[in-house]
Amino acid sequence: QTGLTCCLYGRLEFMAAVQRHVREKRLSVCDAHAAARQMELDERAGLWRWIGVTEALLRSACQRLEALPPTVFLRAGDALHLTCALEHGFDTVYSHDQHLLTAAPAFGLQGVDILTS
């Protein structure tokens, strides 16, 4: 299968990042709309495969987060992404988020930095 796979929550994170760049004046409103439209086109073309967020996935992420040693810093969204990857048979996650990458081994996953690999 080709394309990229991500927890559906990542779709929301993408839009929040686009809005943050507009707010911080690093992206124009026109460019933000273009980015959103491009995401929609990419989705229709099959570039993205979204994995739905279910109650079971959220409960599993909560349990995994609770079981982590207190030295592992992990945000809720990152715990959701790592749990989603693990439970859907992935062994590697790709990101530039250092907290997610550092926590990946605690989930039995290899983290790869997309900007340095």
Side-chain angles (χ1 to χ4, degrees):
Q1 183 169 4
T2 61
L4 305 169
T5 302
C6 185
C7 180
L8 185 56
Y9 180 72
R11 181 69 162 87
L12 178 60
E13 288 182 313
F14 170 78
M15 291 308 302
V18 168
Q19 288 305 106
R20 184 183 72 243
H21 286 297
V22 170
R23 187 176 59 253
E24 295 172 355
K25 300 188 181 346
R26 289 187 276 163
L27 194 63
S28 71
V29 171
C30 182
D31 287 342
H33 289 299
R37 298 301 77 78
Q38 186 62 55
M39 173 63 86
E40 291 172 6
L41 290 172
D42 290 345
E43 287 173 329
R44 282 191 222 124
L47 179 61
W48 287 98
R49 176 177 167 253
W50 299 112
I51 298 173
V53 177
T54 63
E55 180 180 351
L57 182 65
L58 288 172
R59 287 187 181 280
S60 180
C62 288
Q63 290 170 345
R64 292 176 190 285
L65 191 56
E66 183 180 17
L68 289 177
T71 55
V72 177
F73 176 84
L74 191 61
R75 292 173 294 247
D78 294 340
L80 183 61
H81 282 299
L82 292 171
T83 301
C84 186
L86 180 64
E87 293 194 358
H88 284 87
F90 293 91
D91 57 12
T92 305
V93 292
Y94 298 85
S95 179
H96 185 59
D97 182 310
Q98 293 308 306
H99 294 299
L100 182 143
L101 294 172
T102 300
F107 284 72
L109 299 164
Q110 176 186 356
V112 176
D113 190 320
I114 60 172
L115 297 185
T116 61
S117 63

Coordinates of all heavy atoms in Angstrom, one line a residue, residues 2-74:
T2 N 0.5 2.2 -0.8 CA 1.3 3.5 -0.9 C 0.6 4.5 -0.1 O -0.5 4.4 0.3 CB 1.4 3.9 -2.3 OG1 0.1 4.1 -2.9 CG2 2.1 2.9 -3.2
G3 N 1.3 5.6 0.1 CA 0.7 6.8 0.8 C 1.2 6.8 2.3 O 2.1 6.0 2.7
L4 N 0.6 7.7 3.0 CA 1.0 7.9 4.4 C -0.2 7.5 5.3 O -1.3 7.7 4.9 CB 1.3 9.4 4.6 CG 2.4 10.0 3.7 CD1 2.5 11.5 3.8 CD2 3.7 9.4 4.1
T5 N 0.1 7.0 6.5 CA -0.9 6.5 7.4 C -0.7 7.3 8.7 O 0.4 7.5 9.2 CB -0.8 5.0 7.7 OG1 -0.9 4.3 6.5 CG2 -1.9 4.6 8.7
C6 N -1.8 7.8 9.2 CA -1.7 8.6 10.5 C -3.0 8.5 11.2 O -4.1 8.3 10.6 CB -1.5 10.1 10.1 SG -1.2 11.2 11.5
C7 N -2.9 8.6 12.5 CA -4.1 8.7 13.3 C -4.9 10.0 12.9 O -4.3 11.0 12.6 CB -3.7 8.8 14.8 SG -5.1 9.0 15.9
L8 N -6.2 9.8 12.8 CA -7.1 10.9 12.3 C -6.8 12.2 13.1 O -7.0 13.3 12.5 CB -8.5 10.5 12.3 CG -9.6 11.5 11.8 CD1 -9.2 11.9 10.3 CD2 -10.9 10.9 11.9
Y9 N -6.4 12.1 14.3 CA -6.1 13.3 15.1 C -5.0 14.1 14.4 O -5.0 15.4 14.6 CB -5.6 12.8 16.5 CG -5.3 13.9 17.4 CD1 -6.3 14.8 18.0 CD2 -3.9 14.2 17.8 CE1 -5.9 15.8 18.9 CE2 -3.6 15.2 18.6 CZ -4.6 16.0 19.2 OH -4.3 17.0 20.1
G10 N -4.2 13.5 13.6 CA -3.1 14.2 12.9 C -3.7 15.2 11.9 O -3.1 16.3 11.6
R11 N -4.9 15.0 11.4 CA -5.6 15.9 10.5 C -5.9 17.2 11.2 O -5.7 18.3 10.7 CB -6.9 15.2 10.0 CG -7.7 16.0 9.0 CD -6.9 16.2 7.7 NE -7.8 16.6 6.6 CZ -8.0 17.8 6.3 NH1 -7.6 18.8 7.0 NH2 -8.8 18.1 5.2
L12 N -6.4 17.1 12.4 CA -6.6 18.3 13.3 C -5.4 19.0 13.6 O -5.3 20.2 13.6 CB -7.4 17.9 14.5 CG -7.7 19.0 15.5 CD1 -8.6 20.0 14.9 CD2 -8.4 18.4 16.7
E13 N -4.3 18.2 13.9 CA -3.0 18.9 14.2 C -2.5 19.7 13.0 O -1.9 20.7 13.2 CB -2.0 17.8 14.7 CG -2.3 17.2 16.0 CD -1.2 16.2 16.4 OE1 -0.9 15.3 15.6 OE2 -0.7 16.3 17.6
F14 N -2.7 19.1 11.8 CA -2.2 19.8 10.6 C -2.9 21.2 10.5 O -2.3 22.2 10.3 CB -2.5 19.0 9.4 CG -2.3 19.7 8.1 CD1 -1.0 20.0 7.6 CD2 -3.4 20.2 7.4 CE1 -0.8 20.7 6.4 CE2 -3.2 21.0 6.2 CZ -1.9 21.2 5.7
M15 N -4.3 21.2 10.7 CA -5.0 22.4 10.6 C -4.6 23.4 11.7 O -4.5 24.6 11.4 CB -6.5 22.1 10.6 CG -7.0 21.4 9.3 SD -6.5 22.2 7.8 CE -7.2 23.8 7.9
A16 N -4.4 22.9 12.9 CA -4.0 23.8 14.0 C -2.6 24.4 13.7 O -2.4 25.6 13.9 CB -4.0 23.0 15.3
A17 N -1.7 23.6 13.1 CA -0.4 24.2 12.7 C -0.5 25.2 11.6 O 0.2 26.3 11.7 CB 0.5 23.0 12.2
V18 N -1.4 25.0 10.6 CA -1.6 26.0 9.6 C -2.1 27.3 10.2 O -1.6 28.4 9.9 CB -2.5 25.5 8.5 CG1 -3.0 26.6 7.6 CG2 -1.9 24.3 7.7
Q19 N -3.1 27.2 11.1 CA -3.6 28.4 11.8 C -2.6 29.1 12.6 O -2.6 30.3 12.7 CB -4.9 28.0 12.6 CG -6.1 27.7 11.8 CD -6.4 28.8 10.8 OE1 -6.2 28.6 9.6 NE2 -7.0 29.8 11.3
R20 N -1.7 28.3 13.3 CA -0.7 28.9 14.1 C 0.3 29.7 13.2 O 0.6 30.8 13.6 CB 0.1 27.8 14.9 CG 1.1 28.4 15.8 CD 2.0 27.4 16.5 NE 2.9 26.8 15.6 CZ 2.9 25.5 15.2 NH1 2.0 24.6 15.8 NH2 3.8 25.0 14.4
H21 N 0.6 29.2 12.1 CA 1.5 29.9 11.2 C 0.8 31.2 10.6 O 1.5 32.2 10.5 CB 1.9 29.1 10.0 CG 2.9 28.0 10.4 ND1 4.2 28.3 10.9 CD2 2.8 26.7 10.4 CE1 4.8 27.2 11.1 NE2 4.0 26.2 10.9
V22 N -0.5 31.2 10.4 CA -1.2 32.4 10.1 C -1.1 33.4 11.2 O -0.8 34.6 11.0 CB -2.7 32.1 9.7 CG1 -3.5 33.4 9.5 CG2 -2.7 31.3 8.4
R23 N -1.5 33.0 12.4 CA -1.5 33.8 13.6 C -0.1 34.5 13.8 O 0.0 35.6 14.2 CB -1.9 33.0 14.8 CG -2.1 33.8 16.1 CD -2.6 32.9 17.2 NE -1.7 31.8 17.6 CZ -2.0 30.5 17.3 NH1 -3.1 30.2 16.6 NH2 -1.1 29.6 17.6
E24 N 1.0 33.7 13.6 CA 2.3 34.2 13.8 C 2.9 34.9 12.6 O 4.1 35.2 12.5 CB 3.2 33.0 14.2 CG 2.9 32.4 15.5 CD 3.6 31.1 15.9 OE1 4.4 30.6 15.0 OE2 3.4 30.6 17.0
K25 N 2.0 35.1 11.6 CA 2.3 35.9 10.4 C 3.5 35.2 9.5 O 4.2 35.9 8.9 CB 2.6 37.3 10.7 CG 1.4 38.0 11.3 CD 1.6 39.5 11.5 CE 0.5 40.2 12.2 NZ -0.7 39.7 12.4
R26 N 3.6 33.9 9.6 CA 4.5 33.2 8.8 C 3.9 32.6 7.5 O 4.5 32.1 6.6 CB 5.2 32.1 9.6 CG 6.2 32.6 10.6 CD 7.0 31.5 11.3 NE 6.1 31.0 12.3 CZ 6.3 29.9 12.9 NH1 7.3 29.1 12.6 NH2 5.5 29.5 13.9
L27 N 2.5 32.8 7.5 CA 1.7 32.2 6.4 C 0.5 33.2 6.2 O -0.1 33.6 7.2 CB 1.2 30.8 6.7 CG 0.7 29.9 5.7 CD1 1.7 29.6 4.6 CD2 0.2 28.6 6.3
S28 N 0.2 33.5 4.9 CA -0.9 34.4 4.7 C -2.2 33.5 4.7 O -2.2 32.3 4.6 CB -0.8 35.0 3.3 OG -1.0 34.0 2.3
V29 N -3.3 34.2 4.9 CA -4.6 33.5 5.0 C -4.8 32.8 3.6 O -5.3 31.7 3.6 CB -5.7 34.5 5.3 CG1 -7.1 33.9 5.1 CG2 -5.6 35.1 6.7
C30 N -4.5 33.5 2.5 CA -4.6 32.8 1.2 C -3.8 31.5 1.1 O -4.3 30.5 0.6 CB -4.2 33.8 0.1 SG -4.4 33.2 -1.5
D31 N -2.6 31.6 1.6 CA -1.7 30.4 1.6 C -2.2 29.3 2.5 O -2.1 28.1 2.2 CB -0.3 30.7 1.9 CG 0.4 31.5 0.8 OD1 0.0 31.5 -0.3 OD2 1.5 32.1 1.1
A32 N -2.8 29.7 3.6 CA -3.4 28.8 4.6 C -4.6 28.0 3.9 O -4.7 26.8 4.0 CB -3.9 29.5 5.8
H33 N -5.4 28.8 3.2 CA -6.5 28.1 2.5 C -6.0 27.2 1.4 O -6.5 26.1 1.2 CB -7.5 29.2 1.9 CG -8.3 29.9 2.9 ND1 -9.2 29.3 3.7 CD2 -8.3 31.2 3.2 CE1 -9.7 30.2 4.5 NE2 -9.2 31.4 4.2
A34 N -4.9 27.6 0.7 CA -4.3 26.7 -0.3 C -3.8 25.5 0.3 O -3.9 24.4 -0.3 CB -3.2 27.5 -1.0
A35 N -3.2 25.6 1.5 CA -2.6 24.4 2.2 C -3.8 23.4 2.5 O -3.7 22.2 2.4 CB -1.8 24.8 3.4
A36 N -4.9 24.0 3.0 CA -6.0 23.2 3.4 C -6.6 22.5 2.2 O -7.0 21.3 2.2 CB -7.1 24.0 4.1
R37 N -6.7 23.2 1.1 CA -7.3 22.6 -0.1 C -6.3 21.5 -0.7 O -6.8 20.5 -1.2 CB -7.5 23.7 -1.2 CG -8.5 24.8 -1.0 CD -9.9 24.4 -0.6 NE -10.2 23.9 0.7 CZ -10.3 24.6 1.8 NH1 -10.2 25.9 1.8 NH2 -10.6 24.0 2.9
Q38 N -5.0 21.8 -0.6 CA -4.1 20.7 -1.0 C -4.2 19.5 -0.2 O -4.1 18.4 -0.7 CB -2.6 21.3 -1.0 CG -1.6 20.3 -1.6 CD -1.9 20.1 -3.1 OE1 -2.0 21.0 -3.8 NE2 -2.0 18.8 -3.4
M39 N -4.4 19.6 1.1 CA -4.6 18.5 2.0 C -5.8 17.7 1.5 O -5.8 16.4 1.4 CB -4.7 18.9 3.4 CG -5.1 17.7 4.4 SD -3.9 16.4 4.5 CE -2.8 17.1 5.8
E40 N -6.9 18.4 1.2 CA -8.1 17.7 0.7 C -7.8 17.0 -0.6 O -8.3 15.9 -0.8 CB -9.2 18.7 0.6 CG -9.7 19.2 1.9 CD -10.7 20.4 1.8 OE1 -11.1 20.7 0.6 OE2 -11.1 20.9 2.8
L41 N -7.1 17.6 -1.5 CA -6.8 17.0 -2.8 C -5.9 15.7 -2.6 O -6.1 14.7 -3.2 CB -6.1 18.0 -3.7 CG -6.9 19.1 -4.3 CD1 -6.0 20.1 -5.0 CD2 -8.0 18.6 -5.2
D42 N -5.0 15.9 -1.7 CA -4.1 14.7 -1.4 C -4.9 13.6 -0.8 O -4.6 12.4 -1.1 CB -3.0 15.1 -0.4 CG -1.9 16.1 -1.1 OD1 -1.9 16.2 -2.3 OD2 -1.2 16.7 -0.3
E43 N -5.8 13.9 0.1 CA -6.7 12.9 0.7 C -7.5 12.1 -0.4 O -7.6 10.9 -0.4 CB -7.7 13.5 1.7 CG -7.0 13.9 3.0 CD -8.0 14.7 3.9 OE1 -8.9 15.4 3.4 OE2 -7.8 14.6 5.1
R44 N -8.1 12.9 -1.3 CA -8.9 12.3 -2.4 C -8.1 11.5 -3.3 O -8.6 10.5 -3.8 CB -9.6 13.4 -3.1 CG -10.9 13.9 -2.4 CD -11.7 14.8 -3.3 NE -12.1 16.0 -2.5 CZ -11.9 17.2 -2.8 NH1 -11.3 17.6 -4.0 NH2 -12.3 18.2 -2.0
A45 N -6.8 11.9 -3.5 CA -5.9 11.1 -4.3 C -5.4 9.9 -3.6 O -4.6 9.1 -4.3 CB -4.8 12.0 -4.8
G46 N -5.7 9.7 -2.4 CA -5.2 8.5 -1.7 C -3.9 8.6 -1.0 O -3.3 7.6 -0.6
L47 N -3.3 9.8 -1.0 CA -2.0 10.0 -0.4 C -2.0 9.7 1.1 O -1.1 9.2 1.7 CB -1.5 11.4 -0.6 CG -0.1 11.7 0.0 CD1 1.0 10.8 -0.6 CD2 0.3 13.2 -0.3
W48 N -3.2 10.1 1.8 CA -3.3 9.9 3.2 C -4.3 8.8 3.5 O -5.4 8.7 2.9 CB -3.8 11.2 3.9 CG -2.8 12.2 3.9 CD1 -2.6 13.3 3.1 CD2 -1.7 12.3 4.9 NE1 -1.5 14.0 3.5 CE2 -1.0 13.5 4.6 CE3 -1.4 11.6 6.0 CZ2 0.1 13.8 5.3 CZ3 -0.3 11.9 6.8 CH2 0.5 13.1 6.4
R49 N -3.9 7.9 4.5 CA -4.8 6.9 5.0 C -5.0 7.3 6.5 O -4.0 7.3 7.2 CB -4.2 5.5 4.9 CG -5.1 4.5 5.5 CD -4.5 3.1 5.2 NE -5.1 2.1 6.1 CZ -4.5 1.6 7.2 NH1 -3.3 1.8 7.5 NH2 -5.2 0.7 7.9
W50 N -6.2 7.6 6.9 CA -6.4 8.0 8.3 C -7.0 6.8 9.1 O -7.9 6.1 8.6 CB -7.5 9.2 8.3 CG -7.0 10.4 7.6 CD1 -7.5 10.9 6.4 CD2 -6.0 11.3 8.0 NE1 -6.9 12.0 6.1 CE2 -5.9 12.3 7.0 CE3 -5.0 11.3 9.0 CZ2 -5.0 13.3 7.0 CZ3 -4.1 12.3 9.1 CH2 -4.1 13.3 8.1
I51 N -6.5 6.7 10.3 CA -6.9 5.6 11.2 C -7.8 6.4 12.2 O -7.4 7.3 12.9 CB -5.8 4.9 11.9 CG1 -4.9 4.2 10.8 CG2 -6.3 3.9 12.9 CD1 -3.7 3.6 11.4
G52 N -9.0 5.9 12.3 CA -10.0 6.6 13.2 C -9.7 6.5 14.7 O -9.0 5.6 15.1
V53 N -10.2 7.5 15.4 CA -10.0 7.5 16.9 C -11.2 6.9 17.5 O -12.3 7.4 17.3 CB -9.8 9.0 17.3 CG1 -9.7 9.0 18.9 CG2 -8.6 9.6 16.7
T54 N -11.0 5.8 18.2 CA -12.1 5.1 18.8 C -12.0 5.2 20.3 O -10.9 5.6 20.9 CB -12.2 3.6 18.4 OG1 -10.9 3.0 18.9 CG2 -12.2 3.5 16.9
E55 N -13.1 4.9 21.0 CA -13.0 4.8 22.5 C -12.0 3.8 22.9 O -11.2 4.1 23.9 CB -14.4 4.5 23.1 CG -14.4 4.4 24.6 CD -15.7 4.0 25.2 OE1 -16.7 4.0 24.5 OE2 -15.7 3.8 26.4
A56 N -11.9 2.7 22.3 CA -10.9 1.7 22.6 C -9.5 2.2 22.5 O -8.6 1.9 23.3 CB -11.1 0.4 21.8
L57 N -9.2 2.9 21.4 CA -7.9 3.5 21.2 C -7.6 4.5 22.3 O -6.5 4.5 22.8 CB -7.8 4.1 19.8 CG -6.5 4.7 19.4 CD1 -5.4 3.6 19.3 CD2 -6.6 5.5 18.1
L58 N -8.5 5.3 22.6 CA -8.3 6.3 23.7 C -8.0 5.7 25.0 O -7.1 6.1 25.7 CB -9.5 7.3 23.8 CG -9.6 8.3 22.6 CD1 -10.9 9.1 22.8 CD2 -8.4 9.3 22.6
R59 N -8.8 4.6 25.3 CA -8.6 3.9 26.6 C -7.2 3.3 26.6 O -6.5 3.3 27.6 CB -9.7 2.9 26.8 CG -11.0 3.5 27.2 CD -12.1 2.5 27.6 NE -13.3 3.2 27.9 CZ -13.6 3.7 29.0 NH1 -12.7 3.8 30.0 NH2 -14.7 4.3 29.3
S60 N -6.8 2.7 25.5 CA -5.5 2.0 25.4 C -4.4 3.1 25.6 O -3.4 2.8 26.3 CB -5.3 1.3 24.1 OG -4.1 0.7 24.0
A61 N -4.5 4.2 25.0 CA -3.5 5.3 25.1 C -3.5 5.7 26.6 O -2.3 6.0 27.1 CB -3.9 6.5 24.2
C62 N -4.6 5.8 27.2 CA -4.6 6.2 28.6 C -3.8 5.2 29.5 O -3.0 5.6 30.3 CB -6.0 6.3 29.2 SG -6.9 7.8 28.6
Q63 N -4.1 3.9 29.2 CA -3.4 2.9 30.0 C -1.9 2.9 29.7 O -1.1 2.8 30.7 CB -4.0 1.5 29.6 CG -5.4 1.3 30.1 CD -6.0 0.1 29.6 OE1 -5.6 -0.5 28.6 NE2 -7.2 -0.3 30.2
R64 N -1.5 3.1 28.5 CA -0.1 3.1 28.2 C 0.6 4.3 28.8 O 1.7 4.2 29.2 CB 0.1 3.1 26.6 CG -0.3 1.8 26.0 CD -0.2 1.8 24.5 NE -0.9 0.6 23.9 CZ -0.4 -0.6 23.9 NH1 0.8 -0.8 24.5 NH2 -1.0 -1.6 23.4
L65 N -0.1 5.5 28.7 CA 0.4 6.7 29.3 C 0.6 6.5 30.8 O 1.7 6.9 31.4 CB -0.5 7.9 29.0 CG 0.0 9.3 29.3 CD1 1.3 9.5 28.6 CD2 -1.0 10.3 28.9
E66 N -0.4 5.9 31.5 CA -0.3 5.7 32.9 C 0.9 4.8 33.3 O 1.5 4.9 34.3 CB -1.6 5.1 33.4 CG -1.7 4.9 34.9 CD -3.0 4.3 35.4 OE1 -3.7 3.8 34.6 OE2 -3.2 4.4 36.6
A67 N 1.2 3.8 32.4 CA 2.2 2.8 32.7 C 3.6 3.4 32.4 O 4.6 2.7 32.9 CB 2.0 1.6 31.9
L68 N 3.8 4.5 31.8 CA 5.1 5.0 31.5 C 5.8 5.5 32.8 O 5.2 6.0 33.7 CB 5.0 6.2 30.6 CG 4.6 6.0 29.1 CD1 4.5 7.3 28.4 CD2 5.6 5.1 28.5
P69 N 7.1 5.3 32.8 CA 7.9 5.9 33.9 C 7.7 7.4 34.0 O 7.5 8.0 32.9 CB 9.3 5.5 33.6 CG 9.3 4.7 32.4 CD 8.0 4.7 31.8
P70 N 7.8 8.0 35.1 CA 7.6 9.4 35.3 C 8.7 10.3 34.5 O 8.5 11.4 34.3 CB 7.7 9.7 36.8 CG 8.2 8.5 37.4 CD 8.0 7.4 36.4
T71 N 9.7 9.6 34.1 CA 10.8 10.4 33.4 C 10.5 10.6 31.9 O 11.2 11.3 31.2 CB 12.1 9.6 33.5 OG1 11.9 8.3 33.0 CG2 12.6 9.6 34.9
V72 N 9.4 9.9 31.4 CA 9.1 10.0 30.0 C 8.1 11.1 29.9 O 7.0 11.0 30.4 CB 8.5 8.7 29.4 CG1 8.0 8.9 28.0 CG2 9.5 7.6 29.6
F73 N 8.5 12.2 29.2 CA 7.6 13.3 28.9 C 6.8 13.0 27.6 O 7.4 12.8 26.6 CB 8.4 14.6 28.7 CG 7.5 15.8 28.4 CD1 6.8 16.5 29.4 CD2 7.3 16.2 27.0 CE1 6.0 17.6 29.0 CE2 6.5 17.2 26.7 CZ 5.8 17.9 27.7
L74 N 5.5 13.0 27.7 CA 4.6 12.7 26.6 C 3.3 13.4 26.7 O 2.6 13.3 27.7 CB 4.4 11.2 26.5 CG 3.8 10.6 25.2 CD1 4.7 10.9 24.0 CD2 3.6 9.1 25.3

